[in-house]
Every structure is written in C-alpha cells, then in structure tokens.
Amino acid sequence: MTRIGGAGMVDWNLAVATATRLVRPGPEVSREEAREVVAELRRHAKAAEEHVRAFTRMIPEGTEPEDTPVLVVDRAGWIRANVAGFRELLRPLLEKMEERRGGGTGGAVLGAVGSKVTGVEVGMLLSFLASRVLGQYETFAPATRDLPASAEGGGRLLLVAPNIVHVERELEVDPHDFRLWVALHEETHRTQFTAVPWLRDHLQGEIQSFLDETDVDPMTVLERLREAAQSLSGGRPEGEDGEDGGRSLVEIVQTPAQREILGRLTAVMSLLEGHADYVMDGVGPEVVSSVGEIREKFQQRRARGASRLDQALRKLLGLDAKLRQYRDGERFVRAVVDEVGMDGFNRVWTSPNTLPTKAEIAAPEDWIARVHR
C-alpha cells in the first residue's frame, strides 16, 4: 500500500499508522458489553434489510440482488477500510500529479516534502473523521485480507460500533432503538447500490471524469492538506481563513467541465442521502418506538455541530455540504413520494437519465414534470 501505481505521492501505510495512533479512544465498555453491541448491530443490520426492502419496493419479490458483507468495525478498522478505498479511487489523480512532480517549482517542493509527510497529513485527517462516522456503505471497496467485499468488485457495509455507542450515550436515547435506527439508514444505501446495478459504475465514471479533468498544481493539494492538518494540531492561527474563504478540499475546481460534473455528483449524493433519511424515518415509527425522540435530538446535534475548530474542519473537508445534502435530498424525496407515490418515485432508478439534476433537487416538481410526462 505504500506506492500507488508506481507513484510515491502518499505513504498509505504511514497514513494508517498515523490515523490509528492519533484517533481518540472510543467510549469505555467492558469486553462483554462490546460483544453484545457487535452482536446486536449484526442482528439489526439483518432486520433492517427486510424493513428497507419492504418499504422502498426497490427489489422485486423473488429476486435476490448481489450480496455484500456487513462488517462491524472499530475506528481503526474504519480507517483501514477507507484507506484501501481511497487508494483505488484516487489512483488516476495521484499518477497524474506524480507526472507533474518531475518538473517545475511544485514538483521540486513535492519531491522534498516526500510521501511520508503527505502520509502523515492524510492520517491526521482520517483520525478526525474516524471518530465521527456511525456507518458507511463503501461503494468502491477492494477486498483485503481483513476486510472482505462483494465478489463483483466492490461494496461492503460498515457499522462503527464505538461511534454508535458514543452518540447514543451523548444523546441519552434508548441504545437498542438508536442502533436499529442507524442500521436502517445504512442499509438503505446498501439497497440502493445492490438494487440498481448501474449506479456504482455511473458514480465511478463521474468521479473518474472529474479526476481526468483535474489540472491542479500539486502544491495546491498539499496546501489544502496542510491547512486541515494544522487546524487539527492547533497550528493555524484562530480566525485565519486564508484568501479563498476556507474552501473545501473538493472545491479545487478550475474548469467549467469540472463544475458541471461536480453539480451532477452533488445531485446524486443529495438523492442517496435524502432517500436514506426518508426511509429511516418512514420505517422508524413501525419498528423504533422512540424514533421521534431520537430524530429530534439527532437533528439538534447535526445543527449544533461542535467547537469552532470542528466547524472549520467540517467546511474544509466539505462535511457542511454533506449536511445540506441530507436536508435537500430528503425534501426532494418526500415531495416526489407525496405527489406520485413510492412506485412513481422509484422511476428515479431507471437510468442515469432519470436521476435528478442539481436544480431539480431544489425543485422536485420539475423532475416530476420531466420524468412523469
């Protein structure tokens, strides 16, 4: 994992080592309690699969889509899984940056900085994220010795046990209900990709097109990483946002083509996240008795955020955009289902042409007019 396609831009082993060393410890639990949490999350994942299928009607009765593994992991396991996915997804961009490294001022500085410094910076960012993710469907997940994936070349569901326990304690909600509620959200993502075979390839194609269009100075990427790393370590003066107003890492967009691709990606991610939130709340009242309390407290937690440092990092990493995707996407799904029903909404999964545009996410009636002429 230390070299990507012959390019030594990032020492991925060092990134893993740095992240696992710096990540905050999870909540204190006994060995027996940890075993019980893992077992319950696995049961809830299985139960959530049945509930989500029945509610969404995305998988016809009598059909069995591609199976993907469900893994209950700790924070270190989440880090290892995501590094493996990043390595594959970013390969074209890093190879492109490696080619530019040989000449010019940026290349000379990159050569001096080296892959190990970059690995440390990536590791610091992963350590920040690893304590915040409750669950994740890894769409682009290469199988490793410790982390299996689907036989078709990608896909596994991760539930991060210590983070789930931490949040349920922080919110003071029923732990059994909260664990099932989280499982419903993540299982919806697994259903989206297993029930819609073309969706993974479509997303991967869009991301690769975006990376192919990238013509960014390697020094710009390093500077973004350094800003985030300095924020984590407290090395950046408080209130110093930089000349770009604190843009996120994904906002290094220089061309009209990239802006167009990013707009389409934003629309798809808003749809997927909003759909998961809608399903989670739709199934919830039937199987999660305290769903109202959980939803209210969780929404307050999302809106409140944490410290000023946490809010700055959310912006830098693009996490504030993800929160908007939950809200805007859920509003789109709810409006469409209210107007044309669940089966009418499911026409969104017919082909890439029936996915909503970024403008249609904000105006669901326009999507209905286009698709339901």
Side-chain angles (χ1 to χ4, degrees):
M1 289 172 61
T2 55
R3 301 183 72 79
I4 298 182
M9 293 290 297
V10 182
D11 186 332
W12 292 104
N13 280 344
L14 185 57
V16 171
T18 301
T20 52
R21 185 175 68 252
L22 295 179
V23 70
R24 292 182 297 177
E28 291 187 10
V29 295
S30 66
R31 188 179 298 272
E32 181 60 29
E33 185 181 2
R35 282 197 292 263
E36 291 175 358
V37 170
V38 170
E40 183 173 24
L41 286 173
R42 286 175 176 155
R43 290 196 303 271
H44 283 332
K46 183 62 179 176
E49 180 180 3
E50 299 174 6
H51 294 312
V52 170
R53 288 187 182 188
F55 183 81
T56 63
R57 301 201 289 271
M58 291 178 65
I59 300 175
E61 291 187 19
T63 64
E64 195 60 37
E66 171 193 359
D67 187 34
T68 56
V70 177
L71 307 178
V72 181
V73 298
D74 58 11
R75 291 171 177 176
W78 180 88
I79 289 168
R80 291 194 299 271
N82 276 266
V83 164
F86 291 160
R87 180 183 63 172
E88 293 302 315
L89 197 59
L90 296 178
R91 184 194 301 271
L93 177 60
L94 292 180
E95 288 179 344
K96 189 173 186 177
M97 290 173 62
E98 178 68 15
E99 291 176 3
R100 294 190 57 174
R101 183 165 132 174
T105 304
V109 175
L110 263 179
V113 171
S115 63
K116 293 192 178 300
V117 173
T118 311
V120 169
E121 292 171 341
V122 172
M124 293 179 75
L125 299 182
L126 288 171
S127 72
F128 169 79
L129 295 171
S131 63
R132 285 158 173 76
V133 177
L134 301 182
Q136 173 186 5
Y137 183 76
E138 276 202 291
T139 313
F140 313 105
T144 67
R145 183 178 59 185
D146 302 323
L147 296 164
S150 72
E152 299 301 319
R156 58 180 167 230
L157 180 60
L158 305 179
L159 296 172
V160 190
N163 296 350
I164 294 173
V165 172
H166 171 77
V167 174
E168 69 193 25
R169 290 179 178 179
E170 178 187 328
L171 299 181
E172 297 181 337
V173 294
D174 182 278
H176 309 293
D177 282 359
F178 184 74
R179 293 165 195 173
L180 177 56
W181 189 71
V182 172
L184 289 169
H185 181 100
E186 304 308 331
E187 176 57 39
T188 302
H189 286 317
R190 187 164 76 136
T191 298
Q192 289 165 346
F193 284 93
T194 54
V196 186
W198 55 263
L199 185 57
R200 178 182 181 274
D201 289 341
H202 172 71
L203 261 183
Q204 186 172 32
E206 291 280 53
I207 293 170
Q208 292 306 323
S209 295
F210 180 87
L211 296 179
D212 289 343
E213 289 287 336
T214 299
D215 187 24
V216 66
D217 181 356
M219 280 301 296
T220 306
V221 176
L222 276 187
E223 184 59 31
R224 293 296 181 273
L225 289 172
R226 191 161 296 110
E227 286 177 8
Q230 288 175 346
S231 295
L232 283 170
S233 63
R236 189 177 184 188
E238 189 172 337
E240 180 181 312
D241 291 329
E243 294 180 0
D244 62 4
R247 292 188 304 165
S248 75
L249 287 169
V250 296
E251 289 176 321
I252 311 171
V253 178
Q254 302 295 334
T255 69
Q258 285 180 305
R259 293 189 183 93
E260 184 178 337
I261 296 168
L262 191 59
R264 293 197 300 267
L265 282 170
T266 299
V268 174
M269 297 311 299
S270 296
L271 170 68
L272 298 180
E273 296 294 358
H275 183 235
D277 261 17
Y278 178 82
V279 172
M280 181 170 60
D281 289 344
V283 175
E286 298 293 328
V287 299
V288 181
S289 58
S290 60
V291 65
E293 177 191 3
I294 291 173
R295 184 60 159 160
E296 181 180 358
K297 289 183 175 180
F298 196 76
Q299 287 287 60
Q300 290 173 355
R301 183 178 185 270
R302 274 183 181 172
R304 185 173 61 249
S307 65
R308 182 174 179 180
L309 170 62
D310 187 72
Q311 292 171 354
L313 282 166
R314 284 179 180 274
K315 181 172 182 58
L316 184 63
L317 298 173
L319 299 183
D320 56 342
K322 188 174 179 65
L323 296 181
R324 288 195 299 272
Q325 289 170 2
Y326 285 116
R327 182 187 66 241
D328 297 344
E330 195 272 344
R331 200 158 44 214
F332 169 84
V333 175
R334 184 173 301 280
V336 173
V337 173
D338 287 348
E339 182 68 23
V340 298
M342 183 63 74
D343 292 332
F345 165 78
N346 281 339
R347 290 183 64 176
V348 77
W349 313 116
T350 305
S351 75
N353 292 330
T354 55
L355 291 173
T357 64
K358 189 176 179 180
E360 287 171 341
I361 288 289
E365 64 277 6
D366 292 346
W367 180 86
I368 294 171
R370 178 171 66 87
V371 175
H372 287 270
R373 288 197 183 100

